[in-house]
Each structure stands twice: as structure tokens, then as C-alpha cells.
Amino acid sequence: MFFVTPAYAEEAPAGTAETGAATGTDTHAAPAAGDVHTETGVPAEHHGGGVFPPFDSTTYASQLLWLAITFVVFFVLMQKVIAPRIGNILEQRHNRISQDLDEAGRLKAEADADVAAYEAELAAARAKSNAIGTAARDAAKLKAEADRKAVEAGLAEKLKAAEGRIADIKAKAFADVGTIAEETATAVVEQLIGTSAKADVAAAVADIKKGA
């Protein structure tokens, strides 16, 4: 271990140095008590044999005092500054969360009301469409029935008129057939017997018509 020699030793007269050399005295001998180590600033006599400061029993009182002071300062700082700020932040966040929850609940209630109104309107529209469809179906059915009856009535009238015309044509045809038959029979009889038998032929044709 090295120690720095005091300045006065370096400035000593040459004679002193020579005297020391002559007498065999070591000018770099261990420093006297009270000398300070220049590297650590600790008295040389305590170097190497000191105790770690926190474990030094001679400083327990001061350590406990500073611990108490630090604890009190930290406690006051926590109580007066940090804790109120933290509480204020927590309260603001709690209020904001409560407001957000209230807003979400309000929006959900509005959405539920809108959904209920939409479902009611949809049900009413469905009922109205069903009623309109039923009414249109009934009206179409009634119209089809009326049209069918009208067509049937028209067909019946046309059929009746056709039957009447057929009867007239048939009656006229029968009348013409009787006249033709009577004339033909009369001509045939005249050719056969040489005399006119028109009255007899007419009576015979009339009998045949009656039998038909």
C-alpha cells in the first residue's frame, strides 16, 4: 500500500535528505497517526479494518433518525400529494365509466325501442298485406264467379236461340219435304194411272207426318 509523502518532506533541505540517507532512515516510512489517505479521504488508521456503514453500531441512532424523517416525509407526501391525485384520477375514471355505462344503457334502450317499433310496423304491414291479399283473392273469386255466370248465361241464350233457329229450320224443312213429297207423289201417280190424285196424295202425306 502506498501513501503520498507530505509536501514538507519533498521540500526538505538536501542536508536533511542526506542525513537520513546517512543514518539509514527510510523517508517513505508509514505515515504518522492522523494522516489521511489521499485516494479514499479516510484516515489511514481505519483503512482495511473499518465496518460497512449501515452495520456500524455507532451510527444506528443517526440512521434511525434519518429513517424516521424519511418515513414521515414520504408519509406526508403520500397523504397530501400522491394519494389525493390518485384518488382524483380514480374518481374521474369511475365517473367516466359510469357515464359511459349510462350512455350505453340509454343507447341500448333506444335500440330496443326502435327494434320493437320496427317489429310492430313489420307485423302491421304483414297483417295489412295479408288482408289486402285476402280481399283481392275474394274479389277475384267473386269476379271470376260473376264472369262465369255471365258467360254461362250468354251461352245459354245463344244455345236457346240456336235451338229456336234449328226448330224453325227443321219445321221449314219438314214443311218443304211434305210439299215436295206431295208434289212428287202426285206426279208419279199421274204418270202411273193417268189421272190426278192430288187430294188422296195430300191426305196420305198428312197421315205420314202425323205418324212421324
Side-chain angles (χ1 to χ4, degrees):
M1 185 162 304
F2 298 95
F3 298 94
V4 179
T5 305
Y8 65 85
E10 293 180 355
E11 297 176 355
T16 305
E18 293 175 353
T19 304
T23 58
T25 305
D26 188 2
T27 59
H28 296 286
D35 291 341
V36 178
H37 195 289
T38 57
E39 295 180 359
T40 61
V42 180
E45 62 182 1
H46 294 290
H47 187 77
V51 182
F52 186 57
F55 298 148
D56 190 358
S57 60
T58 59
T59 61
Y60 280 173
S62 62
Q63 292 182 24
L64 292 175
L65 177 62
W66 281 110
L67 178 62
I69 293 173
T70 304
F71 178 78
V72 170
V73 171
F74 181 73
F75 179 79
V76 171
L77 184 65
M78 283 289 295
Q79 187 177 11
K80 299 296 184 181
V81 179
I82 299 176
R85 290 184 179 179
I86 295 175
N88 189 18
I89 293 172
L90 293 176
E91 184 177 0
Q92 290 178 357
R93 291 185 178 181
H94 181 268
N95 293 333
R96 182 176 298 175
I97 291 172
S98 299
Q99 292 176 358
D100 293 340
L101 291 175
D102 294 338
E103 183 68 15
R106 185 181 65 80
L107 294 176
K108 184 178 182 300
E110 291 180 356
D112 292 340
D114 293 338
V115 170
Y118 170 75
E119 290 179 352
E121 292 179 357
L122 183 61
R126 286 178 179 174
K128 186 176 181 180
S129 63
N130 291 332
I132 293 173
T134 302
R137 202 164 43 245
D138 294 340
K141 187 183 293 185
L142 294 174
K143 188 175 183 301
E145 185 69 18
D147 293 341
R148 184 183 64 81
K149 290 181 178 180
V151 171
E152 289 179 353
L155 291 175
E157 290 178 359
K158 290 180 180 180
L159 182 60
K160 186 177 180 180
E163 290 178 352
R165 287 196 299 270
I166 292 172
D168 294 340
I169 293 171
K170 185 178 180 181
K172 186 177 180 181
F174 274 118
D176 293 340
V177 168
T179 303
I180 293 171
E182 184 178 347
E183 292 177 354
T184 302
T186 302
V188 170
V189 170
E190 286 180 356
Q191 292 291 332
L192 290 176
I193 63 174
T195 58
S196 178
K198 189 175 182 179
D200 295 334
V201 172
V205 172
D207 292 338
I208 291 172
K209 288 181 179 181
K210 291 179 181 179

